[in-house]
Amino acid sequence: MVRDLIVSVAYRYPAGSLLSMPVLTESFALRQFEGSGEHLKAKPNLMILDGQQRLTSLYQALFSEKGVKFNKRTYYFYLDVAMLMSDPDGSIDVGDPFFEQALFYIMEDKKGRKIRYQGLTPLYDITNLEGELAAGTLPLRYTFDTNSNLADWKKAYLVNLSNKDMDVYLELDKLWDTLVRPWLDRIRTYPFPMVELRPDLPLGAICHIFEKVNSTGVPLDVFDLCTAILWAQGFELNEEWKRTSHKLAEKVAMQPLHGTYFLQSLSILDTYDRKKRDPESRIAVACRKQDLMDMDAETVQKWWDTLVAGYKAAGVFMTDEGIIAQQILPYVTLIVPLSAILSYLQWSKGTSDMNSAWPKIANWYWCSVFSQRYSSMTETNSAKDFEEVIKWVEGGEPPDVVKSFNFRSDSLQEIQSIRNAIYRGILCLLAKQGARDFGGGGKLTTALYYDLRMDHHHIFPTKYLKEANINDERANTIVNKTLIGASVNRSISGVAPSEYVNKWRDKLGANLFDEILQTHGIDPELLSSDSWSKYVANRRENLRQLIINVCGGNVQSFTDEYDPSLEEQDEENVNP
């Protein structure tokens, strides 16, 4: 969310207004912005009533050396200067500016290192100045620099890049002034609208205004803008989407339905079709917000039914892949390229050819999930992946995400949150391989998931581990979790595994219950022996094999160099 805010500021998009009030009385207890110091200035003259989170985030990202604080972790923002300076247009106002792709953040690890990853693969270490200069990654905290740090960094970077050749240095300096400096200037001069209340307003009036500002503000979405644009052309987008999403809700029950995502898939279909019909043109496959607003009513109507069919196919695809509920859907945003791929193949080649392509599509899908590819740059990745998957299906090279897939298995021993795509992906793969209900043996389906009120629960109860003096943070990771119904979970909670295994063996029959455990990647004998260490070694390897089965590529062996305290939550903002 902080990254999105910075993008909005840099592109001069609306980022809301600020509500302020002069400080003339002591009616309010004031506090400084978090991270700005321990004390207020002697006589503060202005207080912010609404906009504190935005200003705090911008201060920490663009000025503070202490970084952005969130969930007891620290994040630092950078600009990939090499990418910015490679813009082929030579202008930030022409074509597709690179700023959004060049902006990234890094979480400082427990050892104080700042390592940039692509998915789970480390790209480079930028903990110190030498690393920053080598990678060309400018700390965004220099944006409002008052100590010449920005000028010194720029000079050192350009000197290195030019190999101390003065003519080359001067050319690079011009490029910097054209493609890097303007972005920093835009951020520095962003004009937040300011509403300033009269200092003599009664407290009751101030509280009423503040309450309304915080409770009724609804951001304007690109879907709303497209609705207005297409309404002028005689197409009622909002009403059509209401009818369509209502029909799709049952067919694609595991996927939240958002109109913006639907339009993005539609944009991919249209731009790819136009590019294919006119190969000499400079048309790019795209689904950015501005591309959606360029579509006219005729284009939207042309592809609407085709995409609806693709959404239905996506529902079948996700069910086959074990994605049986929204709670365990790895990425909400993957519906954009997935539905576009299935729509195009069905439209251009027919249902039988589309179905024959599913193994490749599944391979791409899971490589995207377990490389955490859709954690950022979703619009760029969606368009790129669509083209690469279509070419692969038609006999070309595999997509880059498949060819370069690399998975660090130790992350399975670190991930503790179901908000993480890898965590959810494992739960889906268990359902895909035929995981069955602990309490009856039925194969997990969407209907059974909701009927039994299933959730991700511990296999070795944490209460038992505590009583057994086993203090292992892996107890809360995906290695010790699976999908279990509410009533069964209550029956096993807190007891030794051997106790509940024997109970359910007596109830269902030993062979049946052991088979059920095996469908969850659990060795019945190790579980019933209460051997935590042997169970962990076996289960983590079973989960690793699930990833190998769907992704191939380089799935590393376990090294036991893991640290659950550094788990990076891979959350999505599901409201596009």
Side-chain angles (χ1 to χ4, degrees), residues 344-379:
Y344 183 80
L345 291 175
Q346 190 165 241
W347 173 75
S348 63
K349 300 179 181 300
T351 302
S352 59
D353 281 1
M354 178 192 69
N355 291 341
S356 67
W358 282 29
K360 289 183 176 179
I361 298 171
N363 190 191
W364 156 77
Y365 187 94
W366 289 116
C367 286
S368 297
V369 169
F370 287 104
S371 63
Q372 297 182 299
R373 178 169 171 77
Y374 280 77
S375 301
S376 61
M377 296 177 62
T378 56
E379 296 169 0

Side-chain angles (χ1 to χ4, degrees), residues 61-249:
L62 305 176
F63 190 85
S64 174
E65 294 183 0
K66 299 177 182 178
V68 178
K69 306 295 182 181
F70 178 71
N71 269 3
K72 298 181 180 180
R73 298 182 175 96
T74 304
Y75 298 82
Y76 295 89
F77 282 80
Y78 296 87
L79 277 178
D80 188 330
V81 173
M83 175 177 283
L84 282 181
M85 293 176 66
S86 69
D87 194 326
D89 305 309
S91 169
I92 69 169
D93 297 314
V94 179
D96 185 9
F98 285 177
F99 181 86
E100 188 169 2
Q101 295 94 320
L103 177 66
F104 67 96
Y105 58 84
I106 287 178
M107 180 184 72
E108 185 178 56
D109 67 20
K110 199 172 185 179
K111 298 179 181 178
R113 299 174 303 183
K114 301 169 187 172
I115 300 175
R116 188 181 186 185
Y117 288 85
Q118 184 175 51
L120 297 173
T121 304
L123 294 180
Y124 42 72
D125 187 333
I126 52 177
T127 304
N128 53 37
L129 176 61
E130 290 73 19
E132 293 172 359
L133 295 174
T137 55
L138 172 68
L140 212 58
R141 69 178 183 275
Y142 293 158
T143 302
F144 290 93
D145 177 55
T146 57
N147 298 312
S148 77
N149 289 316
L150 176 60
D152 293 343
W153 193 98
K154 169 193 169 184
K155 181 179 179 181
Y157 176 66
L158 297 185
V159 166
N160 287 350
L161 201 61
S162 64
N163 290 319
K164 299 183 180 180
D165 183 315
M166 181 54 67
D167 291 336
V168 175
Y169 178 92
L170 292 175
E171 287 300 316
L172 291 172
D173 189 56
K174 291 180 182 177
L175 206 57
W176 176 286
D177 286 343
T178 304
L179 296 173
V180 180
R181 182 177 57 79
W183 288 113
L184 300 177
D185 289 343
R186 283 185 175 212
I187 294 172
R188 294 187 193 106
T189 59
Y190 182 80
F192 264 114
M194 176 82 81
V195 178
E196 187 171 302
L197 300 181
R198 299 197 325 267
D200 59 346
L201 278 177
L203 286 178
I206 295 171
C207 291
H208 179 76
I209 293 169
F210 184 64
E211 182 182 59
K212 291 299 180 184
V213 166
N214 278 276
S215 65
T216 62
V218 178
L220 188 66
D221 179 63
V222 69
F223 187 84
D224 301 311
L225 297 174
C226 290
T227 297
I229 293 169
L230 295 176
W231 182 83
Q233 301 174 32
F235 182 74
E236 296 187 10
L237 174 62
N238 195 44
E239 292 303 314
E240 188 62 37
W241 175 243
K242 283 181 181 177
R243 288 191 289 269
T244 297
S245 58
H246 179 72
K247 293 177 183 177
L248 288 175

Side-chain angles (χ1 to χ4, degrees), residues 48 55 63 116 124 280 334 342 377 381 470 482 488 538:
I48 299 297
L55 292 180
F63 190 85
R116 188 181 186 185
Y124 42 72
E280 301 303 317
L334 259 170
L342 295 173
M377 296 177 62
N381 290 336
I470 298 173
T482 195
V488 174
N538 176 264

Side-chain angles (χ1 to χ4, degrees), residues 284-304:
V285 178
C287 62
R288 301 164 305 169
K289 303 298 189 292
Q290 54 264 45
D291 299 311
L292 308 192
M293 291 186 285
D294 288 339
M295 293 191 298
D296 57 25
E298 183 180 352
T299 297
V300 173
Q301 290 173 304
K302 173 185 175 181
W303 293 105
W304 193 277

Side-chain angles (χ1 to χ4, degrees), residues 472-496:
D472 190 334
E473 290 191 74
R474 291 177 296 179
N476 291 312
T477 67
I478 189 61
V479 171
N480 191 38
K481 297 285 191 70
T482 195
L483 293 172
I484 303 175
S487 61
V488 174
N489 183 61
R490 285 194 296 271
S491 74
I492 68 178
S493 180
V495 302

Side-chain angles (χ1 to χ4, degrees), residues 271-330:
T271 51
Y272 182 74
D273 181 58
R274 289 193 287 122
K275 178 181 178 180
K276 196 168 185 180
R277 284 189 282 109
D278 188 4
E280 301 303 317
S281 70
R282 298 186 63 184
I283 297 172
V285 178
C287 62
R288 301 164 305 169
K289 303 298 189 292
Q290 54 264 45
D291 299 311
L292 308 192
M293 291 186 285
D294 288 339
M295 293 191 298
D296 57 25
E298 183 180 352
T299 297
V300 173
Q301 290 173 304
K302 173 185 175 181
W303 293 105
W304 193 277
D305 290 341
T306 299
L307 186 55
V308 168
Y311 257 71
K312 292 177 181 177
V316 176
F317 173 88
M318 287 190 279
T319 299
D320 286 353
E321 295 304 309
I323 305 168
I324 57 176
Q326 289 188 22
Q327 187 185 19
I328 62 172
L329 174 67

